[in-house]
Amino acid sequence: MNTVLASCAVTEAVSRGRRFSEPPPAGRGEFQRDRDRIVHSTAFRRLEYKTQVFINHEGDLFRTRLTHSLEVAQLSRSMARALALNEDLAEAVALAHDLGHTPFGHAGQDTLNECMRHDGGFEHNLQSLRIVELLEERYAAFDGLNLCFETREGILKHCSLANARLLGEVGQRFLEGTQPSLEAQLVNLADEIAYNNHDVDDGLRAGLISLEQLESVAIFARCRREVEAKWPALQGRRLVHETVRRMIDIMAGELVAQTRANLAASGVKTLADVHRAPVLAAYPDALRPQLRELKTFLYDNLYHHAQVMQTIDQARRIVADLFGAYLAEPAQLPPEYQRRAQDGKARAIADYIAGMTDRYAVKEHQRLCAGGEFL
Ligand code: MG
């Protein structure tokens, strides 16, 4: 951790603190305490068995939500350090950013959102906040983890105006059109850097995309040429890794440099200035079309690969079937969710399903939905 932070960094001195006041932590800072609470939460442990792109049981070497979150935390810390921002806050936000993800990745979230269309919808980002504010049951004095305002603000990357009105202080910025801390802005982009790169790596490993196809992606081709110029005989895993690590270096390095330049040009001095300024964490203009090209490539060739789509169809069926089964028979929910269902059946079911790991959802599907032989 930097000993001297930039004047616009989040510090404990300017923090809006916790909802329920607690004695200060001994031997660690408030944002380190937030990080520790996240790491010890149940939702965090479940990330190990939740899909990133590949369904959890498809292979032991692919990223899961847990390893993705760790990569986002690593990138966030490095970039926060380079800009003299609060690394501990960036790490806490990064580790928590995907806590609300359903089983089976985006397919699960989209299906749950459809199931909830008459009951307020379902959005994984909002669910991450709901977990740390309400659903984790660990402390005697409060629901959730009682995290600092800035950590919760960072977790809520986006949200509809309708939802923002219901969220109180963390929703305020969406109504006012102001920005979150620079630390939160960085984590948002670290997420993107992590998945764009690890999905290339995982996609190649799975054999769903090829090095030949990636020649059409300028940033990949450029980095590969650099590797081959230095190591002409390099092949296989090492060639892929040397190429991907160069792409990560370019993205993170140029993001830091551009953000530093934006900060200098903006005249931003304090955290209050950061809130009022336009978004300051950004890639240089020249890099953006290259990143768009990479994203489009992954979208067309990996996320929509026939083999991925097939498991997505099954995942959708599982989530929709489970939702229907609990709705028809709430007594199948565990007791704590039956209690929650008294305040809103659909929301309690969504909370329960969203918390499931991939394999638990498959098991419940087999138990509750006859003939459920999926995945
Ligand atoms: Mg993510």
Side-chain angles (χ1 to χ4, degrees):
M1 178 91 166
N2 289 294
T3 44
V4 179
L5 295 185
S7 61
C8 61
V10 173
T11 60
E12 289 183 19
V14 297
S15 170
R16 289 164 69 175
R18 302 176 192 278
R19 261 193 193 159
F20 304 93
S21 70
E22 296 185 60
R28 56 182 173 162
E30 294 285 6
F31 295 105
Q32 289 174 313
R33 171 149 76 178
D34 279 6
R35 175 207 52 209
D36 298 346
R37 287 184 175 186
I38 291 159
V39 168
H40 287 268
S41 70
T42 307
F44 185 74
R45 279 195 301 285
R46 288 184 180 148
L47 294 176
E48 183 176 4
Y49 300 106
K50 290 192 180 204
T51 296
Q52 182 65 28
V53 171
F54 297 90
I55 304 289
N56 178 251
H57 67 209
E58 285 180 314
D60 290 344
L61 296 173
F62 299 123
R63 268 71 174 186
T64 64
R65 287 270 160 217
L66 180 66
T67 61
H68 163 71
S69 300
L70 295 175
E71 289 183 27
V72 177
Q74 177 273 313
L75 282 161
S76 301
R77 282 198 77 121
S78 297
M79 296 194 294
R81 180 182 291 232
L83 291 163
L85 297 169
N86 191 322
E87 271 180 66
D88 297 326
L89 170 61
E91 183 180 28
V93 172
L95 291 173
H97 87 283
D98 270 353
L99 287 180
H101 256 291
T102 61
F104 314 122
H106 285 279
Q109 113 107 28
D110 294 346
T111 309
L112 209 47
N113 190 31
E114 284 159 26
C115 295
M116 291 291 289
R117 66 190 174 279
H118 302 304
D119 298 278
F122 179 88
E123 210 270 286
H124 69 86
N125 197 220
L126 205 55
Q127 191 70 9
S128 299
L129 189 68
R130 193 169 158 79
I131 285 169
V132 301
E133 289 192 342
L134 182 71
L135 296 178
E136 280 287 328
E137 295 181 318
R138 306 185 71 76
Y139 299 93
F142 45 77
D143 287 332
L145 304 178
N146 197 31
L147 304 178
C148 294
F149 171 82
E150 293 74 18
T151 309
R152 292 184 292 123
E153 175 201 59
I155 291 171
L156 192 65
K157 282 192 286 197
H158 39 71
C159 106
S160 67
L161 289 183
N163 279 326
R165 285 188 197 98
L166 306 174
L167 290 173
E169 57 175 8
V170 275
Q172 202 59 30
R173 74 180 166 93
F174 299 95
L175 305 175
E176 293 169 351
T178 54
Q179 308 308 329
S181 67
L182 267 168
E183 288 83 351
Q185 294 180 33
L186 275 185
V187 175
N188 194 8
L189 294 168
D191 184 21
E192 189 178 289
I193 295 175
Y195 67 68
N196 279 331
N197 286 288
H198 65 49
D199 289 350
V200 167
D201 185 39
D202 279 353
L204 285 167
R205 189 188 299 275
L208 298 181
I209 55 175
S210 67
L211 284 171
E212 291 68 38
Q213 279 177 306
L214 278 160
E215 282 301 304
S216 69
V217 178
I219 191 167
F220 186 92
R222 167 157 67 105
C223 291
R224 184 178 168 183
R225 292 295 93 76
E226 259 180 53
V227 177
E228 287 170 338
K230 202 169 175 200
W231 311 95
L234 203 63
Q235 283 186 333
R237 298 300 319 157
R238 287 187 207 239
L239 173 62
V240 172
H241 180 67
E242 285 285 352
T243 305
V244 169
R245 83 184 182 95
R246 278 167 175 76
M247 293 205 294
I248 295 174
D249 266 0
I250 290 171
M251 293 176 202
E254 294 197 13
L255 172 57
V256 165
Q258 185 64 49
T259 303
R260 189 178 284 126
N262 291 349
L263 259 171
S266 69
V268 158
K269 293 275 183 296
T270 65
L271 179 60
D273 295 342
V274 171
H275 292 314
R276 283 189 297 263
V279 173
L280 293 166
Y283 302 110
D285 286 342
L287 188 62
R288 279 187 216 172
Q290 298 182 53
L291 297 184
R292 233 180 350 257
E293 184 185 48
L294 173 60
K295 264 179 192 260
T296 306
F297 173 88
L298 288 170
Y299 190 83
D300 293 344
N301 297 288
L302 182 61
Y303 309 143
H304 283 109
H305 191 287
Q307 209 171 308
V308 173
M309 293 306 285
Q310 198 189 347
T311 56
I312 282 177
D313 283 345
Q314 294 177 345
R316 284 178 174 279
R317 285 267 312 271
I318 290 178
V319 170
D321 286 356
L322 282 177
F323 194 88
Y326 294 125
L327 206 57
E329 215 182 332
Q332 295 291 346
L333 291 165
E336 65 269 31
Y337 287 91
Q338 289 185 37
R339 270 195 302 280
R340 285 193 190 283
Q342 289 163 8
D343 303 326
K345 195 157 76 164
R347 183 59 59 192
I349 294 170
D351 285 340
Y352 184 48
I353 293 176
M356 292 180 182
T357 60
D358 294 5
R359 60 187 184 180
Y360 186 76
V362 171
K363 226 171 81 190
E364 271 296 90
H365 190 258
Q366 283 162 354
R367 182 176 78 86
L368 293 172
C369 309
E373 273 306 311
F374 284 126
L375 295 168

